[in-house]
Amino acid sequence: MAESFETLGAGNGFSSCLQKIIPGNKTLLNAPSLEQTMQAYWNFDSATFGGASFNPDNQPKDLICNASANVGSNVDGDSRPGYPGEFTVRNSLPRFFFKDGVKYYKHGIIMSFSATNDAALVGGGSSSSTFVTYSSSLYVVDQYLSPYSCVDETFGPPGEEEVIGKSASERTQTISSVTIGGIPFIKNVIKSFGGLAYNGPGTSCPSPNYPAEPSTPTLTLHTY
């Protein structure tokens, strides 16, 4: 239970002036209201994603004199192949921006996960990666998206090529709006795969083996 307090702040609902950012070509989605952004800022208690947990152990009133009293991060795990993945939880100061002449807010809570599965194939191998990010208000459409494709790998002079294997690739992005602890987020999932196998004309197309997406993070806000 947090200690009650009163403050005039900076006259904008926060303890200091917010930084303005330029959204550029980023896409707007599920932006928090001013009230929700204030909740995320003043009342952030803790957040947990996988084995990563950040608890700044401050009282909301501490932000009056120290606007960054609940800013920080925690990282747990390892994203290298053969490991269960890396989790990150981070809280930073909120910001604001204008898009199409309308003012929006962006809270500072970000939670992410990344992991890769490698597999040995005949004469080659494959790599399947999963990246999950929970963030606020704006996201970037990945520039390298491509549907699954599989093509022959050939060898030999023109007109006499022989099929010696198969190569396959894929890169997808899934965007959704979610609410965690009463605060709106964008869930951004990118999955990337590449595989190569050499087993003659009968080679099967390599298939992805993506790391599973982890359970939804948890967010706890102070109550009074």
Side-chain angles (χ1 to χ4, degrees):
M1 188 74 69
E3 299 175 22
S4 298
F5 66 98
E6 293 184 5
T7 179
L8 295 177
N12 61 354
F14 304 92
S15 61
S16 61
C17 294
L18 300 188
Q19 179 185 354
K20 179 182 177 181
I21 60 174
I22 305 300
N25 62 353
K26 294 180 180 179
T27 301
L28 173 70
L29 181 67
N30 204 26
S33 65
L34 171 59
E35 181 180 359
Q36 289 170 325
T37 308
M38 290 170 60
Q39 283 276 0
Y41 171 66
W42 288 104
N43 295 325
F44 180 91
D45 186 6
S46 65
T48 299
F49 194 19
S53 183
F54 176 61
N55 183 344
D57 195 29
N58 72 290
Q59 285 287 326
K61 67 178 184 179
D62 297 338
L63 299 174
I64 298 173
C65 295
N66 179 4
S68 300
N70 62 2
V71 169
S73 63
N74 181 247
V75 180
D76 181 78
D78 196 317
S79 62
R80 291 177 297 173
Y83 291 84
E86 181 180 277
F87 293 87
T88 302
V89 174
R90 181 167 74 251
N91 188 38
S92 58
L93 296 174
R95 295 171 171 80
F96 76 96
F97 60 93
F98 288 90
K99 198 165 182 65
D100 299 324
V102 179
K103 185 177 183 178
Y104 294 96
Y105 292 91
K106 178 180 173 64
H107 65 69
I109 307 168
I110 300 176
M111 296 168 280
S112 61
F113 166 79
S114 60
T116 297
N117 286 337
D118 281 357
L121 301 175
V122 178
S126 69
S127 181
S128 306
S129 299
T130 298
F131 308 93
V132 181
T133 303
Y134 293 85
S135 60
S136 176
S137 303
L138 298 167
Y139 72 91
V140 176
V141 176
D142 191 271
Q143 299 296 305
Y144 303 100
L145 300 178
S146 61
Y148 179 86
S149 67
C150 181
V151 298
D152 291 334
E153 291 291 319
T154 61
F155 179 78
E160 300 179 17
E161 299 95 335
E162 296 183 6
V163 176
I164 59 173
K166 298 279 189 180
S167 62
S169 63
E170 177 183 59
R171 188 173 176 89
T172 64
Q173 182 178 34
T174 304
I175 302 293
S176 58
S177 297
V178 298
T179 300
I180 306 173
I183 304 300
F185 286 83
I186 299 170
K187 181 183 180 182
N188 185 349
V189 180
I190 293 178
K191 295 185 177 182
S192 181
F193 163 73
L196 183 63
Y198 294 104
N199 196 25
T203 302
S204 298
C205 286
S207 299
N209 177 30
Y210 292 116
E213 294 179 31
S215 300
T216 303
T218 59
L219 172 63
T220 302
L221 300 179
H222 285 291
T223 57
Y224 298 85

